[in-house]
Amino acid sequence: MADTVAPAIAFGQAITRWGNWFNQELYGGPTTLPWGLEIDQAHGGEPGVLYHPTFLYESLWDAALGFGLLLAGRRFTLQDVHLHGH
C-alpha cells in the first residue's frame, strides 16, 4: 500500500506548493536569475528586486521524487512466491 501512497503524497505536495506563488508566501533571497519573482511590498518584497522562487524549487523536487518513487516501485517490486507442495 505504501508503494501506492508515497508517490501520490509527493505529487500532491508538488501541486500544493503552487499556492505559495499565488499567496507570495514562500520565496528566497534576492537573485538576478531570469526566473526570479517580483514580490509585492505587502508581502515583504522590495520594488525592482527579484527573489528566488523556493516554492518552485520544492515543487520540482517533489515531482522528481514522485517519479523516482514510481520508477523504483516498478523496478523493485516484490515477486510472488509460490510454494508448490511445501
Side-chain angles (χ1 to χ4, degrees):
M1 185 165 126
D3 292 345
T4 304
V5 174
I9 291 172
F11 288 127
Q13 184 70 10
I15 293 167
T16 60
R17 290 297 99 205
W18 283 91
N20 296 123
W21 179 69
F22 294 107
N23 297 330
Q24 296 186 0
E25 295 174 334
L26 186 59
Y27 57 90
T31 184
T32 57
L33 295 171
W35 57 81
L37 297 175
E38 190 172 329
I39 303 296
D40 296 336
Q41 284 182 305
H43 294 99
E46 296 180 27
V49 176
L50 298 177
Y51 296 90
H52 279 283
T54 54
F55 76 90
L56 175 63
Y57 302 153
E58 183 180 346
S59 180
L60 293 173
W61 167 253
D62 292 334
L65 176 64
F67 284 116
L69 289 170
L70 285 175
L71 291 173
R74 289 184 181 180
R75 178 149 168 40
F76 300 110
T77 58
L78 293 176
Q79 301 297 319
D80 290 333
V81 177
H82 297 287
L83 300 175
H84 300 287
H86 291 90

